[in-house]
Amino acid sequence: MIETTPTFRSKLNETTHFKMESLNPVTRSFSASLKMGALALAGASLLTLAACSDEDSSANAIVQPDAGQSEASPAAGSAATDTAATNAATPAASSDAAPGEDAQQSTLVPADEAPEPAGSVDVAALMAEQALPDIVQGDPDAPVTIVEYASMTCGHCADFHENSYPAIRKAYLDTGKAKLILREFPFDPVSLAAFMLARCAGEDAQRTAMIDVLFDQQRSWASAESPSEALLKIARMAGMGQDEFVACLNNKELQQQIVDVQKTGQDEFGVQATPTFFINGQKYSGSMTPQNMAAAIEAATPAN
C-alpha cells in the first residue's frame, strides 16, 4: 500500500528542489515501458489523431524518456498559446476569507447562451462499465454528469484544469449540481505513463490529487529532457518508492486497460481530440471557459 503524506499537494509543488539519486536502472526500465506503451497506443490508432484540439502537432512526435529537447512533448510547447486562447477562470476563494467574501468570489455567472454541442451520445452507453472504474468527483447522484476525455500531455487539457476547473468545482461539483468523471485518452507514451502513475497513487482522492498536480506542473515533466526522472520526482512526493514506480510502469495489464478506455472513447463516442466533454451526453470539443461550461451545465440540468 502506498502511503501519501498529509502534505501531498504542497510537497508536489516543491519537486524542483528534490535532489535525485542515480536513476539509470529506472530510466532503462521506464524506456522499455514507454516503448511497449507506444506499440499499444499505435494499435489503438492513436497515431492517426491530433495531439490536442486546435493544434497542428500530432502524436507521431512520440516522446521517449531520454530524448533531447527536440523530441519533447508537443503539448508542453504550446501551453503558453493555449492559456492565451482560453478565458481565465473565476479565482478560487482564499481559505481564510470572510464568509461573505467566499460566497462572492465563488459566484460563477454562466454565459448568456450555451455553446452549440458537436453532437450527442447515448448516456446509458456513455456511463456503461469501462475497462477501468470511473472516479467520480462530486455527488454521484448529481443531476448533471460531465465526462471529460483528456491526455496528460495536452496543453488545452492543462489549460482547462488551471483556468476553468476550479470555478466549475466550486459552483457545481461542491454544491451537488454536477459530477465530473475524467477518463484517460493518452496520445503518447509519456501521457500513458502519467495516467498509470495516477492510477497507482492510491485511493480515488490520491488519484485525483495526482492528476491535478500533473496538470499543474505539466511543463516541468512533459517537456523534460528525461521525463522518467521528472515523473519519479512527482511519484516520490506522492509517497511512491522507486520500486513501486518501476512496477507501476511495467504493469502491462494497467497499460492495456488505459488503452482500452481510450479506444472505447474513440470508437464508440467519436472522441478525436482532447479535451472532449460530454455533459449529460452532449458533446463539446476543446477547452471551455468556465462561463461556457456553466451555461452548458445549466442547459443540461433537468427542470424541477
Side-chain angles (χ1 to χ4, degrees):
M1 178 67 68
I2 297 171
E3 296 183 2
T4 303
T5 61
T7 55
F8 175 39
R9 285 177 178 273
S10 61
K11 284 189 177 181
L12 282 173
N13 288 329
E14 299 168 2
T15 54
T16 54
H17 304 295
F18 185 83
K19 186 175 181 180
M20 296 289 293
E21 62 188 27
S22 176
L23 291 179
N24 289 336
V26 175
T27 300
R28 288 195 298 269
S29 177
F30 188 69
S31 299
S33 178
L34 291 189
K35 288 176 182 177
M36 289 188 294
L39 293 175
L41 293 172
S45 300
L46 285 172
L47 299 183
T48 65
L49 303 177
C52 283
S53 65
D54 303 332
E55 293 184 355
D56 294 332
S57 54
S58 75
N60 287 310
I62 293 295
V63 180
Q64 295 300 332
D66 297 315
Q69 294 286 354
S70 62
E71 295 179 333
S73 169
S78 63
T81 54
D82 292 343
T83 303
T86 306
N87 294 336
T90 302
S94 173
S95 59
D96 57 358
E101 293 177 15
D102 184 79
Q104 182 177 0
Q105 292 182 26
S106 64
T107 300
L108 173 59
V109 179
D112 292 337
E113 294 185 7
E116 190 71 23
S120 63
V121 299
D122 180 71
V123 175
L126 182 67
M127 300 309 298
E129 184 176 358
Q130 301 289 303
L132 285 169
D134 284 331
I135 295 176
V136 179
Q137 298 180 56
D139 184 351
D141 296 323
V144 176
T145 300
I146 306 165
V147 176
E148 175 190 3
Y149 282 90
S151 176
M152 290 307 306
T153 53
C154 169
H156 287 298
C157 301
D159 175 67
F160 171 79
H161 279 266
E162 177 183 358
N163 295 321
S164 297
Y165 167 72
I168 295 299
R169 182 185 62 208
K170 276 186 171 293
Y172 293 100
L173 306 186
D174 293 349
T175 58
K177 297 178 180 179
K179 60 180 177 287
L180 172 67
I181 296 168
L182 186 146
R183 289 181 182 166
E184 295 91 341
F185 202 90
F187 276 113
D188 56 70
V190 173
S191 177
L192 173 62
F195 275 131
M196 292 176 71
L197 290 176
R199 285 284 180 175
C200 293
E203 301 297 329
D204 291 1
Q206 280 76 27
R207 184 259 190 177
T208 299
M210 178 69 90
I211 291 289
D212 288 346
V213 173
L214 286 167
F215 274 135
D216 289 345
Q217 300 196 19
Q218 186 189 77
R219 292 174 184 172
S220 72
W221 59 268
S223 60
E225 183 175 350
S226 177
S228 60
E229 293 187 7
L231 287 173
L232 180 55
K233 290 180 184 180
I234 295 176
R236 281 186 180 277
M237 291 302 179
M240 190 180 298
Q242 180 170 313
D243 291 343
E244 292 164 319
F245 175 85
V246 173
C248 177
L249 296 182
N250 283 331
N251 187 333
K252 296 180 182 179
E253 180 181 6
L254 179 58
Q255 284 184 1
Q256 189 58 52
Q257 288 171 323
I258 291 174
V259 171
D260 288 344
V261 170
Q262 181 277 333
K263 193 172 188 301
T264 298
Q266 177 183 323
D267 294 348
E268 296 188 17
F269 308 124
V271 178
Q272 295 186 342
T274 58
T276 292
F277 301 93
F278 293 93
I279 302 178
N280 275 9
Q282 298 296 305
K283 180 181 179 182
Y284 302 90
S285 296
S287 185
M288 301 178 73
T289 65
Q291 294 79 13
N292 281 344
M293 176 165 277
I297 293 172
E298 295 291 346
T301 301
N304 294 330

